[in-house]
mmCIF file of all heavy atoms in Angstrom:
data_model
loop_
_atom_site.group_PDB
_atom_site.id
_atom_site.type_symbol
_atom_site.label_atom_id
_atom_site.label_comp_id
_atom_site.label_asym_id
_atom_site.label_seq_id
_atom_site.Cartn_x
_atom_site.Cartn_y
_atom_site.Cartn_z
ATOM 1 N N ALA Q 43 28.805 -30.494 -15.393
ATOM 2 C CA ALA Q 43 27.356 -30.385 -15.382
ATOM 3 C C ALA Q 43 26.720 -31.464 -16.265
ATOM 4 O O ALA Q 43 25.709 -32.083 -15.878
ATOM 5 C CB ALA Q 43 26.929 -28.995 -15.875
ATOM 6 N N GLU Q 44 27.330 -31.709 -17.416
ATOM 7 C CA GLU Q 44 26.799 -32.760 -18.298
ATOM 8 C C GLU Q 44 26.957 -34.143 -17.667
ATOM 9 O O GLU Q 44 26.036 -34.981 -17.703
ATOM 10 C CB GLU Q 44 27.555 -32.707 -19.623
ATOM 11 C CG GLU Q 44 27.034 -33.706 -20.647
ATOM 12 C CD GLU Q 44 27.772 -33.581 -21.968
ATOM 13 O OE1 GLU Q 44 28.659 -32.691 -22.093
ATOM 14 O OE2 GLU Q 44 27.491 -34.381 -22.881
ATOM 15 N N LEU Q 45 28.103 -34.379 -17.021
ATOM 16 C CA LEU Q 45 28.333 -35.668 -16.360
ATOM 17 C C LEU Q 45 27.382 -35.855 -15.206
ATOM 18 O O LEU Q 45 26.813 -36.961 -15.019
ATOM 19 C CB LEU Q 45 29.772 -35.750 -15.877
ATOM 20 C CG LEU Q 45 30.192 -37.043 -15.179
ATOM 21 C CD1 LEU Q 45 30.074 -38.231 -16.143
ATOM 22 C CD2 LEU Q 45 31.630 -36.923 -14.667
ATOM 23 N N GLY Q 46 27.155 -34.812 -14.410
ATOM 24 C CA GLY Q 46 26.210 -34.928 -13.300
ATOM 25 C C GLY Q 46 24.797 -35.207 -13.767
ATOM 26 O O GLY Q 46 24.066 -35.980 -13.137
ATOM 27 N N GLY Q 47 24.406 -34.603 -14.884
ATOM 28 C CA GLY Q 47 23.070 -34.870 -15.418
ATOM 29 C C GLY Q 47 22.922 -36.312 -15.859
ATOM 30 O O GLY Q 47 21.856 -36.935 -15.651
ATOM 31 N N LEU Q 48 23.966 -36.891 -16.451
ATOM 32 C CA LEU Q 48 23.910 -38.294 -16.865
ATOM 33 C C LEU Q 48 23.764 -39.238 -15.680
ATOM 34 O O LEU Q 48 22.973 -40.201 -15.715
ATOM 35 C CB LEU Q 48 25.177 -38.649 -17.673
ATOM 36 C CG LEU Q 48 25.295 -37.968 -19.042
ATOM 37 C CD1 LEU Q 48 26.650 -38.282 -19.670
ATOM 38 C CD2 LEU Q 48 24.160 -38.421 -19.972
ATOM 39 N N PHE Q 49 24.495 -39.000 -14.602
ATOM 40 C CA PHE Q 49 24.384 -39.848 -13.433
ATOM 41 C C PHE Q 49 23.002 -39.712 -12.774
ATOM 42 O O PHE Q 49 22.464 -40.672 -12.222
ATOM 43 C CB PHE Q 49 25.489 -39.523 -12.428
ATOM 44 C CG PHE Q 49 26.766 -40.260 -12.672
ATOM 45 C CD1 PHE Q 49 27.846 -39.621 -13.280
ATOM 46 C CD2 PHE Q 49 26.885 -41.593 -12.322
ATOM 47 C CE1 PHE Q 49 29.019 -40.307 -13.525
ATOM 48 C CE2 PHE Q 49 28.073 -42.288 -12.559
ATOM 49 C CZ PHE Q 49 29.133 -41.650 -13.170
ATOM 50 N N ASN Q 50 22.435 -38.549 -12.806
ATOM 51 C CA ASN Q 50 21.076 -38.383 -12.254
ATOM 52 C C ASN Q 50 20.062 -39.171 -13.080
ATOM 53 O O ASN Q 50 19.100 -39.723 -12.525
ATOM 54 C CB ASN Q 50 20.699 -36.899 -12.245
ATOM 55 C CG ASN Q 50 21.482 -36.118 -11.193
ATOM 56 O OD1 ASN Q 50 21.875 -36.678 -10.162
ATOM 57 N ND2 ASN Q 50 21.695 -34.841 -11.452
ATOM 58 N N ILE Q 51 20.260 -39.217 -14.387
ATOM 59 C CA ILE Q 51 19.373 -40.025 -15.231
ATOM 60 C C ILE Q 51 19.536 -41.515 -14.918
ATOM 61 O O ILE Q 51 18.560 -42.254 -14.787
ATOM 62 C CB ILE Q 51 19.660 -39.740 -16.721
ATOM 63 C CG1 ILE Q 51 19.276 -38.310 -17.075
ATOM 64 C CG2 ILE Q 51 18.909 -40.733 -17.606
ATOM 65 C CD1 ILE Q 51 19.650 -37.895 -18.488
ATOM 66 N N PHE Q 52 20.767 -41.988 -14.726
ATOM 67 C CA PHE Q 52 21.013 -43.385 -14.393
ATOM 68 C C PHE Q 52 20.397 -43.756 -13.047
ATOM 69 O O PHE Q 52 19.886 -44.856 -12.847
ATOM 70 C CB PHE Q 52 22.520 -43.655 -14.342
ATOM 71 C CG PHE Q 52 23.160 -43.671 -15.704
ATOM 72 C CD1 PHE Q 52 24.498 -43.331 -15.845
ATOM 73 C CD2 PHE Q 52 22.442 -44.047 -16.831
ATOM 74 C CE1 PHE Q 52 25.087 -43.338 -17.100
ATOM 75 C CE2 PHE Q 52 23.033 -44.064 -18.084
ATOM 76 C CZ PHE Q 52 24.354 -43.708 -18.218
ATOM 77 N N SER Q 53 20.421 -42.811 -12.083
ATOM 78 C CA SER Q 53 19.890 -43.125 -10.750
ATOM 79 C C SER Q 53 18.384 -43.346 -10.778
ATOM 80 O O SER Q 53 17.845 -44.069 -9.954
ATOM 81 C CB SER Q 53 20.219 -41.967 -9.803
ATOM 82 O OG SER Q 53 19.553 -40.774 -10.196
ATOM 83 N N ILE Q 54 17.710 -42.736 -11.754
ATOM 84 C CA ILE Q 54 16.257 -42.940 -11.862
ATOM 85 C C ILE Q 54 15.949 -44.312 -12.459
ATOM 86 O O ILE Q 54 14.965 -44.963 -12.096
ATOM 87 C CB ILE Q 54 15.654 -41.828 -12.750
ATOM 88 C CG1 ILE Q 54 15.844 -40.464 -12.084
ATOM 89 C CG2 ILE Q 54 14.178 -42.078 -12.985
ATOM 90 C CD1 ILE Q 54 15.409 -39.302 -12.935
ATOM 91 N N MET Q 55 16.811 -44.790 -13.320
ATOM 92 C CA MET Q 55 16.566 -46.041 -14.017
ATOM 93 C C MET Q 55 16.967 -47.274 -13.232
ATOM 94 O O MET Q 55 16.484 -48.375 -13.496
ATOM 95 C CB MET Q 55 17.336 -46.030 -15.358
ATOM 96 C CG MET Q 55 16.921 -44.905 -16.295
ATOM 97 S SD MET Q 55 17.985 -44.774 -17.735
ATOM 98 C CE MET Q 55 17.795 -46.410 -18.447
ATOM 99 N N GLU Q 56 17.807 -47.196 -12.231
ATOM 100 C CA GLU Q 56 18.292 -48.349 -11.489
ATOM 101 C C GLU Q 56 17.448 -48.597 -10.251
ATOM 102 O O GLU Q 56 16.589 -47.798 -9.873
ATOM 103 C CB GLU Q 56 19.761 -48.116 -11.105
ATOM 104 C CG GLU Q 56 20.692 -48.008 -12.285
ATOM 105 C CD GLU Q 56 20.776 -49.310 -13.064
ATOM 106 O OE1 GLU Q 56 20.554 -50.385 -12.454
ATOM 107 O OE2 GLU Q 56 21.053 -49.265 -14.282
ATOM 108 N N ASP Q 57 17.765 -49.766 -9.547
ATOM 109 C CA ASP Q 57 17.053 -50.090 -8.310
ATOM 110 C C ASP Q 57 17.516 -49.210 -7.173
ATOM 111 O O ASP Q 57 18.437 -48.406 -7.320
ATOM 112 C CB ASP Q 57 17.224 -51.576 -7.976
ATOM 113 C CG ASP Q 57 18.691 -51.961 -7.854
ATOM 114 O OD1 ASP Q 57 19.516 -51.066 -7.509
ATOM 115 O OD2 ASP Q 57 19.029 -53.115 -8.110
ATOM 116 N N TYR Q 58 16.893 -49.396 -5.999
ATOM 117 C CA TYR Q 58 17.120 -48.466 -4.882
ATOM 118 C C TYR Q 58 18.567 -48.479 -4.423
ATOM 119 O O TYR Q 58 19.137 -47.421 -4.151
ATOM 120 C CB TYR Q 58 16.183 -48.838 -3.723
ATOM 121 C CG TYR Q 58 16.380 -47.950 -2.513
ATOM 122 C CD1 TYR Q 58 15.883 -46.659 -2.487
ATOM 123 C CD2 TYR Q 58 17.117 -48.403 -1.404
ATOM 124 C CE1 TYR Q 58 16.083 -45.840 -1.407
ATOM 125 C CE2 TYR Q 58 17.313 -47.600 -0.311
ATOM 126 C CZ TYR Q 58 16.794 -46.310 -0.311
ATOM 127 O OH TYR Q 58 17.004 -45.498 0.774
ATOM 128 N N GLN Q 59 19.180 -49.674 -4.312
ATOM 129 C CA GLN Q 59 20.554 -49.741 -3.780
ATOM 130 C C GLN Q 59 21.523 -49.042 -4.723
ATOM 131 O O GLN Q 59 22.378 -48.270 -4.291
ATOM 132 C CB GLN Q 59 20.945 -51.216 -3.611
ATOM 133 C CG GLN Q 59 22.324 -51.376 -2.969
ATOM 134 C CD GLN Q 59 22.693 -52.836 -2.744
ATOM 135 O OE1 GLN Q 59 21.899 -53.721 -3.071
ATOM 136 N NE2 GLN Q 59 23.855 -53.082 -2.175
ATOM 137 N N LYS Q 60 21.405 -49.356 -6.013
ATOM 138 C CA LYS Q 60 22.276 -48.675 -6.979
ATOM 139 C C LYS Q 60 21.917 -47.193 -7.111
ATOM 140 O O LYS Q 60 22.774 -46.360 -7.365
ATOM 141 C CB LYS Q 60 22.168 -49.352 -8.345
ATOM 142 C CG LYS Q 60 22.723 -50.774 -8.343
ATOM 143 C CD LYS Q 60 22.617 -51.390 -9.724
ATOM 144 C CE LYS Q 60 23.208 -52.799 -9.745
ATOM 145 N NZ LYS Q 60 23.117 -53.397 -11.100
ATOM 146 N N LEU Q 61 20.634 -46.901 -6.893
ATOM 147 C CA LEU Q 61 20.183 -45.500 -7.007
ATOM 148 C C LEU Q 61 20.903 -44.641 -5.980
ATOM 149 O O LEU Q 61 21.307 -43.512 -6.265
ATOM 150 C CB LEU Q 61 18.674 -45.430 -6.807
ATOM 151 C CG LEU Q 61 17.977 -44.068 -6.967
ATOM 152 C CD1 LEU Q 61 16.588 -44.254 -7.522
ATOM 153 C CD2 LEU Q 61 17.908 -43.327 -5.636
ATOM 154 N N VAL Q 62 21.061 -45.170 -4.752
ATOM 155 C CA VAL Q 62 21.720 -44.385 -3.699
ATOM 156 C C VAL Q 62 23.172 -44.118 -4.063
ATOM 157 O O VAL Q 62 23.681 -43.011 -3.884
ATOM 158 C CB VAL Q 62 21.617 -45.137 -2.352
ATOM 159 C CG1 VAL Q 62 22.457 -44.421 -1.309
ATOM 160 C CG2 VAL Q 62 20.183 -45.250 -1.900
ATOM 161 N N ILE Q 63 23.845 -45.131 -4.580
ATOM 162 C CA ILE Q 63 25.260 -44.943 -4.953
ATOM 163 C C ILE Q 63 25.406 -43.917 -6.089
ATOM 164 O O ILE Q 63 26.225 -43.002 -6.032
ATOM 165 C CB ILE Q 63 25.877 -46.294 -5.363
ATOM 166 C CG1 ILE Q 63 25.849 -47.258 -4.167
ATOM 167 C CG2 ILE Q 63 27.297 -46.100 -5.856
ATOM 168 C CD1 ILE Q 63 26.310 -48.671 -4.509
ATOM 169 N N LEU Q 64 24.560 -44.079 -7.110
ATOM 170 C CA LEU Q 64 24.632 -43.145 -8.250
ATOM 171 C C LEU Q 64 24.231 -41.728 -7.851
ATOM 172 O O LEU Q 64 24.818 -40.743 -8.315
ATOM 173 C CB LEU Q 64 23.738 -43.644 -9.388
ATOM 174 C CG LEU Q 64 24.188 -44.937 -10.080
ATOM 175 C CD1 LEU Q 64 23.126 -45.405 -11.070
ATOM 176 C CD2 LEU Q 64 25.508 -44.725 -10.803
ATOM 177 N N GLU Q 65 23.208 -41.642 -7.015
ATOM 178 C CA GLU Q 65 22.764 -40.314 -6.592
ATOM 179 C C GLU Q 65 23.825 -39.616 -5.743
ATOM 180 O O GLU Q 65 24.031 -38.414 -5.876
ATOM 181 C CB GLU Q 65 21.466 -40.464 -5.794
ATOM 182 C CG GLU Q 65 20.854 -39.114 -5.425
ATOM 183 C CD GLU Q 65 19.541 -39.275 -4.694
ATOM 184 O OE1 GLU Q 65 19.124 -40.409 -4.440
ATOM 185 O OE2 GLU Q 65 18.916 -38.233 -4.387
ATOM 186 N N ASN Q 66 24.498 -40.414 -4.871
ATOM 187 C CA ASN Q 66 25.552 -39.841 -4.046
ATOM 188 C C ASN Q 66 26.711 -39.346 -4.911
ATOM 189 O O ASN Q 66 27.259 -38.252 -4.703
ATOM 190 C CB ASN Q 66 26.032 -40.888 -3.042
ATOM 191 C CG ASN Q 66 27.091 -40.343 -2.102
ATOM 192 O OD1 ASN Q 66 26.911 -39.275 -1.537
ATOM 193 N ND2 ASN Q 66 28.191 -41.061 -1.965
ATOM 194 N N PHE Q 67 27.083 -40.151 -5.917
ATOM 195 C CA PHE Q 67 28.153 -39.736 -6.835
ATOM 196 C C PHE Q 67 27.750 -38.521 -7.657
ATOM 197 O O PHE Q 67 28.536 -37.591 -7.864
ATOM 198 C CB PHE Q 67 28.504 -40.908 -7.763
ATOM 199 C CG PHE Q 67 29.745 -40.673 -8.571
ATOM 200 C CD1 PHE Q 67 31.001 -40.824 -8.022
ATOM 201 C CD2 PHE Q 67 29.645 -40.298 -9.917
ATOM 202 C CE1 PHE Q 67 32.128 -40.597 -8.782
ATOM 203 C CE2 PHE Q 67 30.776 -40.082 -10.676
ATOM 204 C CZ PHE Q 67 32.034 -40.237 -10.109
ATOM 205 N N GLY Q 68 26.482 -38.500 -8.089
ATOM 206 C CA GLY Q 68 25.985 -37.335 -8.834
ATOM 207 C C GLY Q 68 25.984 -36.074 -8.000
ATOM 208 O O GLY Q 68 26.273 -34.980 -8.515
ATOM 209 N N ASN Q 69 25.651 -36.221 -6.712
ATOM 210 C CA ASN Q 69 25.657 -35.060 -5.817
ATOM 211 C C ASN Q 69 27.078 -34.486 -5.664
ATOM 212 O O ASN Q 69 27.264 -33.267 -5.603
ATOM 213 C CB ASN Q 69 25.108 -35.437 -4.449
ATOM 214 C CG ASN Q 69 23.607 -35.674 -4.495
ATOM 215 O OD1 ASN Q 69 22.901 -35.142 -5.372
ATOM 216 N ND2 ASN Q 69 23.091 -36.480 -3.566
ATOM 217 N N LYS Q 70 28.058 -35.384 -5.597
ATOM 218 C CA LYS Q 70 29.446 -34.912 -5.478
ATOM 219 C C LYS Q 70 29.865 -34.174 -6.749
ATOM 220 O O LYS Q 70 30.569 -33.144 -6.685
ATOM 221 C CB LYS Q 70 30.366 -36.096 -5.236
ATOM 222 C CG LYS Q 70 30.204 -36.716 -3.838
ATOM 223 C CD LYS Q 70 31.178 -37.846 -3.638
ATOM 224 C CE LYS Q 70 31.015 -38.440 -2.225
ATOM 225 N NZ LYS Q 70 31.980 -39.530 -1.982
ATOM 226 N N ILE Q 71 29.444 -34.680 -7.897
ATOM 227 C CA ILE Q 71 29.748 -34.004 -9.165
ATOM 228 C C ILE Q 71 29.070 -32.627 -9.182
ATOM 229 O O ILE Q 71 29.664 -31.610 -9.607
ATOM 230 C CB ILE Q 71 29.313 -34.852 -10.360
ATOM 231 C CG1 ILE Q 71 30.187 -36.101 -10.452
ATOM 232 C CG2 ILE Q 71 29.408 -34.046 -11.661
ATOM 233 C CD1 ILE Q 71 29.785 -37.032 -11.565
ATOM 234 N N ASP Q 72 27.828 -32.553 -8.710
ATOM 235 C CA ASP Q 72 27.099 -31.267 -8.681
ATOM 236 C C ASP Q 72 27.790 -30.275 -7.744
ATOM 237 O O ASP Q 72 27.902 -29.078 -8.067
ATOM 238 C CB ASP Q 72 25.658 -31.490 -8.225
ATOM 239 C CG ASP Q 72 24.836 -32.220 -9.282
ATOM 240 O OD1 ASP Q 72 25.248 -32.189 -10.466
ATOM 241 O OD2 ASP Q 72 23.791 -32.790 -8.921
ATOM 242 N N MET Q 73 28.260 -30.778 -6.604
ATOM 243 C CA MET Q 73 28.941 -29.896 -5.646
ATOM 244 C C MET Q 73 30.267 -29.398 -6.237
ATOM 245 O O MET Q 73 30.661 -28.244 -6.047
ATOM 246 C CB MET Q 73 29.187 -30.633 -4.328
ATOM 247 C CG MET Q 73 27.913 -30.938 -3.561
ATOM 248 S SD MET Q 73 28.199 -31.835 -2.019
ATOM 249 C CE MET Q 73 29.104 -30.586 -1.092
#
Side-chain angles (χ1 to χ4, degrees):
E44 184 178 357
L45 181 62
L48 292 174
F49 274 102
N50 289 330
I51 293 175
F52 288 152
S53 65
I54 296 174
M55 298 172 59
E56 297 295 333
D57 56 27
Y58 179 76
Q59 184 178 0
K60 293 182 178 180
L61 184 147
V62 173
I63 297 174
L64 292 174
E65 185 177 3
N66 183 48
F67 190 78
N69 289 335
K70 290 182 179 182
I71 292 178
D72 290 340
M73 292 179 66

